[in-house]
Amino acid sequence: RSINCLSIGEREEREPHRERESARGRGTGSRRTPEARTRGHGDARAQGNQEDSTTPTPTPTPSAASTGNMEGYYMLLFMLFAAACGYFEIVGKKKGGPGGTASASSSSAAFQAFKNNYLLVYSLMMAGDWLQGPYVYALYQSYGYDRGDIGKLFIAGFGSSLVFGTIAGTLVDRHGRRFGAMMYVVTYALSCVTKHWSNYGVLMVGRLLGGVATSLLFSTFESWLVGEHFKRGYEDSWLSEIFSKAVFLGNGLTAIASGLLGNVLVDSFSEGKVAPFDAAIVVLTIGGGVIICTWTENYGDSQGKKSVMESFNAAMGEIKKDRKVLLLGIIQPLFEASMYTFVFMWTPAISPNDEPIPHGVIFAVFMLASMVGSSIAGKLLSDDKVPVESYMQYVFVVAAMSLFVPSIISHTSLSEQAADSEGLLSFTGQIVVFAFCVFEACVGLFWPSIMKMRSAYVPEESRATIINIFRIPLNLFVCTVLYNVSLFSTATYLGMCSVFLVLAAYCQLALHRMVQADKAGYTYDEVKNENV
């Protein structure tokens, strides 16, 4: 999540007059002069080998008319997706879900209390993450570090998630998911505390802690929820309701609200860009308090006798033994790698030469599109006639097509700049933005759907460990992209993501056939070879 700062914070925190550095070659961890800190990092991407030029590049100032036209299209999309969100939520409540699934869950006061408690905690944990996102890059920049040093910090974060995250998953399965949730609160809060120091070593420690926390965020809470849900005897189908609402609230409304709050805090307090990190500590502490007071413990390795290595080997054995789990382990990193690459690339795709586009408005539109996707997922998951293994094939295909749009445009007669020097979108720019909104809707569909499939196929005793193993290829890929971000064009990277998504669709098709074969009493090989 905090990686959004690479595409938002880097550009929004730019000073109106960006001076070039005439002196280079400082060592890692050294500080630049205050004058040098005013230079924006977008210049490096736009100017390439001309970095040593001492000629200042003025930032274009859009006219009032062009600003109105520019934001008019974004506001149209904002209202369109807001109306769609409202429609799906209202219709969903009126119908009460097909087959009475939703109404049945609504009649259980205990389940409603359980669901609301989890949604509150999950939203607070996500708020602690979202508050930091837009300001990580900007804070490092304000401390005087250049793009290369900042890139190393981000690579360290993903490397930490790669190495220590899996170990953390095994510890969570062994010592308890509630314990793991509190580990997340403590490690992420400590990561936020390090932002008060400008020392490069301290900031590096913060990134390492943040990497571990991210792994815990995306495995521990889901593992606790699934384990506790079945321990309390609730129906399997009711999980879908929690998953879709968690994505709607935690990845949608919370993201928008956190962005607005962070902006107010930066403008209102003397701490400046550190203020959102302090607010994140407060939010995480409140969430931790709710966990301590209301959550009970559940375990994966209930006996607690396995060592870390034994737990890891057991999880790998489950992945190798069950083809469905293996396919999920391929599908998840393929989609998430595409998603994180999109996070890096959407800004240069729309604003390749640092045109002054409204990043905050676009981000809000993307989040609303994601909320539409999660609302659609909620309706689909509550309908037993539409298996999640079936419709996700088409979601991946649509996602692949949406990210391939910039590549198509760049190789046809439609090729033109997405935005002009004043940030006014061209016709092709509007197409690209809409395509990106479609991809974000697919992201909203993906999260509750992959959670539902993991709850069905990933074994309970190794759930947190396996989910973190799924993230190993993702972290490797993201580190590679960060290290070689200037090697290929934006359209090439997004085209590569389209290939990943087509592969994910193929794996999803295989998973769907496998599930159909199980239900019909056939083996997957029989269905594959004889078209049973």
Side-chain angles (χ1 to χ4, degrees):
R1 297 294 172 200
S2 62
I3 204 167
N4 280 288
C5 62
L6 288 175
S7 55
I8 301 175
E10 170 184 357
R11 294 162 183 269
E12 287 193 328
E13 301 301 327
R14 175 183 301 121
E15 294 291 335
H17 299 289
R18 296 173 296 177
E19 299 179 3
R20 294 246 185 238
E21 287 183 81
S22 57
R24 314 289 278 179
R26 66 178 177 83
T28 300
S30 60
R31 303 289 300 280
R32 286 185 286 178
T33 62
E35 291 77 17
R37 295 176 196 169
T38 61
R39 186 181 64 84
H41 290 277
D43 290 330
R45 185 185 291 118
Q47 298 299 328
N49 294 329
Q50 300 180 14
E51 278 189 325
D52 293 327
S53 171
T54 56
T55 305
T57 305
T59 301
T61 304
S63 64
S66 67
T67 300
N69 293 332
M70 173 178 63
E71 295 193 355
Y73 179 68
Y74 299 125
M75 294 311 297
L76 175 65
L77 292 176
F78 186 93
M79 291 186 291
L80 173 67
F81 292 128
C85 278
Y87 170 78
F88 285 119
E89 288 300 305
I90 292 172
V91 169
K93 288 182 179 179
K94 283 184 177 180
K95 291 185 177 181
T101 299
S103 58
S105 66
S106 300
S107 65
S108 172
F111 173 75
Q112 288 301 313
F114 171 71
K115 179 187 76 172
N116 292 335
N117 173 269
Y118 178 78
L119 292 176
L120 172 63
V121 171
Y122 184 76
S123 296
L124 288 170
M125 298 300 104
M126 291 303 300
D129 191 37
W130 281 114
L131 277 166
Q132 305 173 49
Y135 299 100
V136 179
Y137 193 107
L139 181 67
Y140 294 157
Q141 182 184 1
S142 71
Y143 284 154
Y145 297 111
D146 62 22
R147 191 176 180 184
D149 292 333
I150 297 173
K152 293 174 185 175
L153 288 169
F154 278 97
I155 291 173
F158 282 97
S160 170
S161 182
L162 169 66
V163 176
F164 300 112
T166 307
I167 298 174
T170 60
L171 291 174
V172 166
D173 281 331
R174 182 179 182 184
H175 297 289
R177 280 72 180 267
R178 179 175 177 265
F179 166 76
M182 291 308 301
M183 277 180 58
Y184 166 78
V185 171
V186 173
T187 54
Y188 224 2
L190 289 174
S191 176
C192 292
V193 169
T194 63
K195 302 302 186 294
H196 282 271
W197 284 269
S198 61
N199 180 272
Y200 195 80
V202 175
L203 296 174
M204 182 64 75
V205 171
R207 288 306 301 170
L208 295 175
L209 290 170
V212 175
T214 301
S215 291
L216 291 170
L217 174 62
F218 289 105
S219 60
T220 299
F221 292 92
E222 178 184 336
S223 298
W224 180 89
L225 169 66
V226 175
E228 196 69 17
H229 182 91
F230 290 121
K231 188 171 78 172
R232 298 188 183 200
Y234 299 134
E235 292 184 23
D236 183 12
S237 58
W238 294 0
L239 263 179
S240 304
E241 183 180 340
I242 302 180
F243 288 148
S244 60
K245 287 297 182 184
V247 175
F248 185 89
L249 295 174
N251 294 359
L253 281 178
T254 300
I256 297 173
S258 298
L260 295 174
L261 176 60
N263 189 64
V264 171
L265 293 172
V266 170
D267 292 340
S268 303
F269 290 89
S270 59
E271 289 82 359
K273 298 179 183 68
V274 179
F277 297 91
D278 291 340
I281 295 174
V282 174
V283 171
L284 291 169
T285 302
I286 294 172
V290 176
I291 291 171
I292 290 173
C293 295
T294 61
W295 283 23
T296 58
E297 189 63 273
N298 64 56
Y299 302 85
D301 176 17
S302 57
Q303 301 299 318
K305 296 180 179 179
K306 294 180 182 178
S307 67
V308 170
M309 204 62 214
E310 288 174 335
S311 298
F312 180 82
N313 289 334
M316 289 298 298
E318 292 289 347
I319 295 173
K320 294 175 183 177
K321 181 176 67 176
D322 192 333
R323 283 185 180 179
K324 293 188 285 292
V325 179
L326 176 62
L327 285 171
L328 283 178
I330 298 172
I331 291 168
Q332 179 179 320
L334 283 173
F335 186 90
E336 288 195 58
S338 303
M339 181 186 70
Y340 279 107
T341 303
F342 169 77
V343 169
F344 299 146
M345 299 299 170
W346 73 259
T347 295
I350 302 173
S351 172
N353 295 316
D354 296 335
E355 293 83 1
I357 59 175
H359 293 84
V361 175
I362 298 174
F363 178 73
V365 170
F366 285 171
M367 290 301 99
L368 274 174
S370 179
M371 290 165 65
V372 171
S374 65
S375 297
I376 295 174
K379 291 178 65 65
L380 292 173
L381 288 170
S382 64
D383 188 350
D384 294 333
K385 297 178 182 179
V386 186
V388 60
E389 297 85 5
S390 176
Y391 72 74
M392 281 307 295
Q393 304 169 53
Y394 306 103
V395 172
F396 291 138
V397 171
V398 171
M401 294 170 61
S402 66
L403 289 190
F404 200 62
V405 167
S407 296
I408 294 174
I409 291 176
S410 66
H411 292 90
T412 64
S413 58
L414 293 173
S415 181
E416 61 177 326
Q417 204 80 326
D420 61 21
S421 60
E422 293 186 337
L424 184 63
L425 283 178
S426 63
F427 174 69
T428 56
Q430 293 177 359
I431 294 175
V432 169
V433 170
F434 184 77
F436 287 172
C437 290
V438 172
F439 178 74
E440 281 289 350
C442 292
V443 172
L445 271 156
F446 169 79
W447 283 116
S449 302
I450 197 69
M451 290 174 182
K452 175 64 176 177
M453 289 188 286
R454 287 194 303 233
S455 71
Y457 304 126
V458 175
E460 174 64 20
E461 59 271 14
S462 303
R463 187 178 301 278
T465 305
I466 290 176
I467 292 176
N468 276 305
I469 290 174
F470 287 173
R471 292 180 60 84
I472 291 176
L474 165 69
N475 289 313
L476 282 172
F477 177 79
V478 172
C479 288
T480 303
V481 171
L482 278 173
Y483 190 76
N484 301 287
V485 70
S486 60
L487 194 60
F488 301 107
S489 68
T490 300
T492 300
Y493 274 116
L494 294 177
M496 179 175 59
C497 291
S498 295
V499 175
F500 288 172
L501 292 167
V502 170
L503 291 174
Y506 178 78
C507 292
Q508 188 68 48
L509 173 63
L511 177 61
H512 178 50
R513 288 178 174 175
M514 199 173 295
V515 173
Q516 283 183 314
D518 286 347
K519 290 181 179 178
Y522 298 104
T523 66
Y524 173 68
D525 290 332
E526 289 175 331
V527 174
K528 181 180 178 182
N529 297 328
E530 302 178 18
N531 296 318
V532 175

